[in-house]
Amino acid sequence: MTKSTNKVSVPGFLANGVSAGIKSGDRKDLGLIFSTIPAKVAALFTKNTFKAAPVLIDAERIKRGIAQAVLTNSGCANAATGKEGMADALTVSAAAAKQLKIPEEHLLICSTGVIGKRLPVRKIEAGLGKLVRGLNEFGIEDAEAAMMTTDKFPKIAIRKGIVGAKDITICGIAKGAGMIEPNMATLLTYVMTDALIDAKALNTVFHQVIDSTFNAISVDGCMSTNDTAIILANGLAGNNPLERAQARLQRFREMLTDVLAELAQAVVRDGEGATKFITVVVEGAKSKSDARRVAYSVANSNLVKTAFFGEDPNWGRILSAIGASGILLEKEKVSLSIGNMTVFAQDAPVNLAPARLKEIFQGGNIEVRISLGGGDKSYSVYTSDLSYDYVKINADYTT
Amino acid sequence: MTKSTNKVSVPGFLANGVSAGIKSGDRKDLGLIFSTIPAKVAALFTKNTFKAAPVLIDAERIKRGIAQAVLTNSGCANAATGKEGMADALTVSAAAAKQLKIPEEHLLICSTGVIGKRLPVRKIEAGLGKLVRGLNEFGIEDAEAAMMTTDKFPKIAIRKGIVGAKDITICGIAKGAGMIEPNMATLLTYVMTDALIDAKALNTVFHQVIDSTFNAISVDGCMSTNDTAIILANGLAGNNPLERAQARLQRFREMLTDVLAELAQAVVRDGEGATKFITVVVEGAKSKSDARRVAYSVANSNLVKTAFFGEDPNWGRILSAIGASGILLEKEKVSLSIGNMTVFAQDAPVNLAPARLKEIFQGGNIEVRISLGGGDKSYSVYTSDLSYDYVKINADYTT
């Protein structure tokens, strides 16, 4: 679905990714996306108390609403590094802005990797020349490669369409969270578009779309130190300007949603050690927050996740997670379906066909549908299973 | 610490455990503890919406404050089994009370095992005769064995002491939760004592002590369908009666705390696949609930748990979990120590000795101490690591 496509490009954007020796071997670890002209910018950042230095810097810079480049290093998160970490980030930022010949405040920087280690500033500075010289219109895949950590495949999504009487392009790239909870790893996603859009509208739409896509695979207030989502809009499409409350803004929102939903699902499919893609749908809730609590109580249960990995049709664990969500439930009204098979309703198990249920658990895409029968609010969460490989990958990440 | 001791007994209590063929092989799966005279009783039950049939029955029966026996089966939780499950539980209860020649309302019943499967009533009825005939004063270990599921070792703790001018005995047995969150599995614990104690005082003290022991390894509102803690006090010690607000009640509380703390720690040490025993201490919090939120944000982080399993000194994951707890933190005041080594303070890493830190992570008992510097409230949680075996054990539990 988001396998890397040849010739991915967005008008007015250049990109590149190189190896600066931050990660072992000659893996790419320094990436750059660059708009040939200053672009409108909007961004969301982690709510973690211990925000990484680059997050603190970017959060200030995006307030101007203008940015032109995003520099990313993998292999080191530059988080929990104190004043030195902040100084390191600013040193790298200054050097990159100089190379790019843009105002430093128009450069955004992101880091991902191990927390608590100093940023290898010299290596990054040494890599900047090659990185900037190599900027090219088809460099997006290299930029994506440079921000991957445990990702098994690159995540790039692109949509083209007519908005405001002109062809516009929206392209997003993402670096996966380890699992679907961003506190499991860092999530970085950047969106490039040539659409001409009002700054306020861009900010509003980006927040709305992130909330319905990436935040549906995350737990609020439970993010990593570095999570960052950025959108740059350089306006080169020359379309009729997109402003709030317009039909054409709605069309832009739909295209952006397609891009980010594709990336968000790719992040789950590439979850560390994931062998299943599980959709948890909660409906009939009194409030969205109730639906959300139930969805996460199920999606985050290690017992549920291991049952899916083991293809063990132990649906009772899902029911227990529903009942443990802490919200007020009328249990006689709750029903649970897995695949298209109802396993529990009216406070009793439904006549089960174990063989059929086993087949459902053996599938790669599994939908868990929970109806609370108490209202009309719903919420969906994408999650993955919990496998040996998840433990293996995370048992020796720094070493 | 809780390895089974020979000749465990409590005056006036008989017990036994047999195989009724509920579990495969000839493993014990039906256990009974019995007081020769009606005893004062207090109990706590899961808060799960989908309480198992036996939990619903017991919650009614203990309101009388009197009970004489607790019957437990493993291999089937009789949860999410609807009206049939309730009828099954009542059938078993009636048969057992008849065998024991006690009023049915003086019998408590507990089940643990797979959720959503009918209770094998015939097998249990067939096993009751042998179970009751075999009741004996040294049968506590057999009763304990009969309630084990994935437990690797039995959990029995006993204390004797002089209270109210007489020797009293307090003995507790527990069936482990899979991991430290009771939503990971069922937790059952029964306490037998010959102390003479007022019903109100017993209820108050038992709730207080469970809160400081078993609830320090659990997440409120996040329990299994069957979690149950019961205490029976038959008064045969003939001590001066224990009533509220007495010095001798305090002594009883201390002994009970010793017994339940030992069992609670044993449950963590025996957590499915556990290779480490981790104590998370949060101090300097504005409120106990803040301290608790931080402690669980760390203790329940899969990334933290896998790092401990991998002996990977990735302390940044702990810091990230602290920052993700969602409570208001003054990050400059937060400090993090692992073992006796401070790794983070004043918003910066402390000069690290990686070799020493690695040694700490290689230990079997690890203390994580988090100081928030914002108040004088504290909270401690016991947890275990997340290993391959946890996944293995839980990937095919029902099958």
Side-chain angles (χ1 to χ4, degrees):
Chain A
M1 28 180 285
T2 55
K3 56 199 134 348
S4 88
T5 337
N6 286 330
K7 300 275 174 228
V8 172
S9 72
V10 182
F13 282 92
L14 306 177
N16 192 23
V18 301
S19 169
I22 308 166
K23 292 194 290 200
S24 59
D26 57 1
R27 290 177 295 168
K28 289 187 166 61
D29 49 25
L30 192 63
L32 182 65
I33 62 176
F34 178 74
S35 174
T36 54
I37 62 170
K40 300 276 177 48
V41 64
L44 286 81
F45 303 101
T46 178
K47 298 186 178 104
N48 196 297
T49 304
F50 296 99
K51 294 175 176 63
V55 170
L56 295 169
I57 291 168
D58 293 351
E60 278 308 307
R61 292 183 178 176
I62 63 139
K63 288 177 181 171
R64 296 180 179 77
I66 300 289
Q68 197 164 355
V70 182
L71 176 72
T72 307
N73 76 273
S74 53
C76 174
N78 194 17
T81 45
K83 292 180 179 57
E84 293 83 354
M86 182 59 72
D88 292 343
L90 290 170
T91 304
V92 165
S93 163
K98 187 160 174 248
Q99 286 273 353
L100 289 165
K101 302 184 178 61
I102 62 172
E104 196 173 340
E105 62 269 24
H106 288 182
L107 173 74
L108 302 176
I109 54 174
C110 301
S111 297
T112 179
V114 181
I115 297 171
K117 291 199 174 168
R118 289 287 297 274
L119 195 66
V121 173
R122 300 279 158 277
K123 288 179 175 177
I124 294 174
E125 286 180 324
L128 284 172
K130 179 174 50 170
L131 180 70
V132 172
R133 280 192 305 277
L135 281 170
N136 70 94
E137 66 177 308
F138 300 117
I140 291 174
E141 291 168 56
D142 290 332
E144 159 71 10
M147 63 189 213
M148 289 165 64
T149 53
T150 57
D151 302 63
K152 290 193 298 291
F153 57 80
K155 297 164 190 69
I156 302 177
I158 187 162
R159 295 288 186 281
K160 294 172 181 292
I162 295 173
V163 176
K166 288 284 167 58
D167 276 312
I168 71 152
T169 302
I170 303 177
C171 177
I173 60 178
K175 176 263 177 207
M179 282 176 74
I180 59 105
E181 296 173 76
N183 70 325
M184 294 295 166
T186 292
L187 180 78
L188 299 177
T189 186
Y190 312 138
V191 180
M192 293 154 276
T193 180
D194 57 349
L196 181 59
I197 180 168
D198 164 73
K200 279 205 179 67
L202 182 68
N203 190 58
T204 305
V205 169
F206 195 53
H207 278 73
Q208 289 168 342
V209 175
I210 286 285
D211 195 51
S212 66
T213 55
F214 277 100
N215 281 350
I217 60 167
S218 86
V219 178
D220 285 345
C222 195
M223 296 176 152
S224 94
T225 52
N226 294 61
D227 302 323
T228 302
I230 297 169
I231 185 167
L232 294 174
N234 65 18
L236 288 175
N239 53 283
N240 301 324
L242 306 179
E243 285 154 19
R244 277 185 173 177
Q246 287 175 322
R248 55 177 182 259
L249 181 62
Q250 176 55 25
R251 173 70 187 124
F252 177 81
R253 180 186 288 109
E254 287 162 7
M255 286 173 64
L256 182 60
T257 301
D258 287 349
V259 168
L260 290 175
E262 182 176 325
L263 292 175
Q265 293 191 24
V267 163
V268 173
R269 289 186 191 283
D270 196 16
E272 286 168 352
T275 72
K276 308 276 184 187
F277 183 84
I278 301 156
T279 305
V280 180
V281 182
V282 178
E283 52 198 12
K286 286 192 182 61
S287 68
K288 188 178 171 186
S289 82
D290 273 6
R292 188 182 169 89
R293 279 179 71 177
V294 172
Y296 279 115
S297 183
V298 171
N300 294 334
S301 160
N302 280 354
L303 273 194
V304 170
K305 286 170 171 293
T306 47
F308 278 117
F309 170 63
E311 303 184 337
D312 176 7
N314 193 345
W315 59 269
R317 291 178 175 180
I318 300 173
L319 194 76
S320 182
I322 297 168
S325 64
I327 73 158
L328 203 64
L329 288 171
E330 293 172 275
K331 60 180 183 160
E332 299 73 15
K333 295 184 177 177
V334 174
S335 69
L336 168 64
S337 302
I338 304 166
N340 49 13
M341 185 171 169
T342 300
V343 296
F344 186 85
Q346 291 163 324
D347 202 25
V350 175
N351 263 340
L352 295 171
R356 172 76 190 105
L357 191 60
K358 180 77 178 174
E359 279 172 30
I360 292 169
F361 272 69
Q362 286 166 341
N365 291 288
I366 303 169
E367 184 185 79
V368 174
R369 186 168 291 270
I370 299 156
S371 179
L372 304 183
D376 60 1
K377 297 296 185 297
S378 64
Y379 198 84
S380 295
V381 172
Y382 301 120
T383 187
S384 57
D385 55 343
L386 176 58
S387 68
Y388 295 130
D389 283 354
Y390 171 78
V391 177
K392 183 175 171 49
I393 291 163
N394 286 299
D396 53 6
Y397 178 69
T398 58
T399 48
Chain B
M1 28 176 285
T2 55
K3 56 198 135 349
S4 90
T5 337
N6 285 332
K7 302 273 172 227
V8 172
S9 73
V10 181
F13 283 91
L14 306 177
N16 192 24
V18 302
S19 169
I22 307 167
K23 292 194 290 198
S24 59
D26 58 1
R27 290 177 295 168
K28 288 185 165 62
D29 49 25
L30 193 62
L32 182 65
I33 60 175
F34 178 73
S35 173
T36 54
I37 63 167
K40 300 276 176 45
V41 65
L44 287 80
F45 303 101
T46 179
K47 299 185 177 103
N48 196 297
T49 304
F50 297 98
K51 294 176 177 60
V55 170
L56 295 170
I57 291 169
D58 292 351
E60 278 306 308
R61 292 182 178 177
I62 64 139
K63 288 177 181 171
R64 297 179 180 77
I66 300 289
Q68 196 165 354
V70 182
L71 176 72
T72 308
N73 75 273
S74 53
C76 174
N78 193 16
T81 44
K83 291 181 181 57
E84 293 84 353
M86 181 59 72
D88 292 342
L90 290 170
T91 304
V92 165
S93 163
K98 185 160 175 245
Q99 286 272 352
L100 287 165
K101 302 182 177 59
I102 61 172
E104 195 172 343
E105 62 269 24
H106 288 181
L107 173 74
L108 302 176
I109 55 175
C110 300
S111 297
T112 179
V114 181
I115 297 170
K117 291 200 174 167
R118 289 287 297 274
L119 194 66
V121 173
R122 298 280 158 277
K123 288 179 176 179
I124 294 175
E125 285 179 324
L128 283 173
K130 179 174 48 170
L131 180 70
V132 171
R133 279 193 305 276
L135 281 170
N136 71 94
E137 66 177 308
F138 300 117
I140 291 174
E141 291 168 54
D142 290 332
E144 160 69 11
M147 62 190 213
M148 289 166 65
T149 52
T150 58
D151 303 61
K152 289 193 299 291
F153 56 82
K155 297 163 190 70
I156 302 177
I158 186 163
R159 294 291 186 279
K160 293 172 183 292
I162 294 174
V163 175
K166 289 283 166 61
D167 275 311
I168 70 151
T169 301
I170 304 177
C171 177
I173 60 178
K175 175 264 177 205
M179 282 175 73
I180 61 107
E181 297 173 74
N183 72 324
M184 293 295 166
T186 292
L187 180 78
L188 300 177
T189 186
Y190 311 138
V191 179
M192 294 155 273
T193 179
D194 58 349
L196 180 59
I197 180 169
D198 163 74
K200 279 205 178 66
L202 181 69
N203 190 58
T204 305
V205 169
F206 194 54
H207 277 73
Q208 289 168 342
V209 175
I210 286 285
D211 196 51
S212 66
T213 55
F214 278 100
N215 282 349
I217 60 168
S218 88
V219 177
D220 286 346
C222 194
M223 298 174 151
S224 95
T225 50
N226 294 60
D227 302 323
T228 302
I230 297 169
I231 185 167
L232 295 174
N234 66 16
L236 287 175
N239 53 284
N240 301 325
L242 305 179
E243 286 154 17
R244 279 186 173 174
Q246 285 175 323
R248 56 178 180 256
L249 181 61
Q250 176 55 25
R251 173 68 188 128
F252 177 81
R253 180 185 289 108
E254 288 161 8
M255 286 173 63
L256 182 59
T257 301
D258 287 349
V259 167
L260 290 175
E262 184 175 325
L263 292 175
Q265 293 191 25
V267 163
V268 173
R269 289 185 190 282
D270 196 16
E272 286 167 353
T275 73
K276 308 275 185 188
F277 183 83
I278 302 156
T279 306
V280 179
V281 182
V282 176
E283 51 199 13
K286 284 192 184 63
S287 68
K288 187 179 173 187
S289 84
D290 274 6
R292 187 183 170 89
R293 277 180 71 176
V294 172
Y296 279 114
S297 184
V298 171
N300 294 336
S301 161
N302 280 355
L303 273 194
V304 170
K305 287 170 173 291
T306 48
F308 278 117
F309 170 63
E311 301 183 339
D312 177 6
N314 194 345
W315 59 269
R317 290 177 175 180
I318 301 174
L319 194 75
S320 181
I322 297 168
S325 64
I327 72 157
L328 202 64
L329 288 171
E330 294 172 274
K331 60 179 185 160
E332 300 72 15
K333 294 184 178 176
V334 174
S335 70
L336 168 63
S337 302
I338 303 166
N340 47 16
M341 187 172 169
T342 301
V343 295
F344 186 86
Q346 290 161 325
D347 203 25
V350 175
N351 264 340
L352 294 172
R356 171 78 190 103
L357 191 59
K358 180 78 177 172
E359 279 174 28
I360 292 168
F361 272 69
Q362 286 167 339
N365 291 288
I366 303 170
E367 184 186 79
V368 174
R369 186 168 291 270
I370 299 156
S371 179
L372 305 183
D376 60 2
K377 298 293 186 295
S378 65
Y379 198 84
S380 296
V381 172
Y382 301 121
T383 186
S384 57
D385 56 344
L386 177 57
S387 68
Y388 296 129
D389 283 354
Y390 171 78
V391 177
K392 184 176 171 50
I393 290 164
N394 286 299
D396 52 8
Y397 179 70
T398 58
T399 49

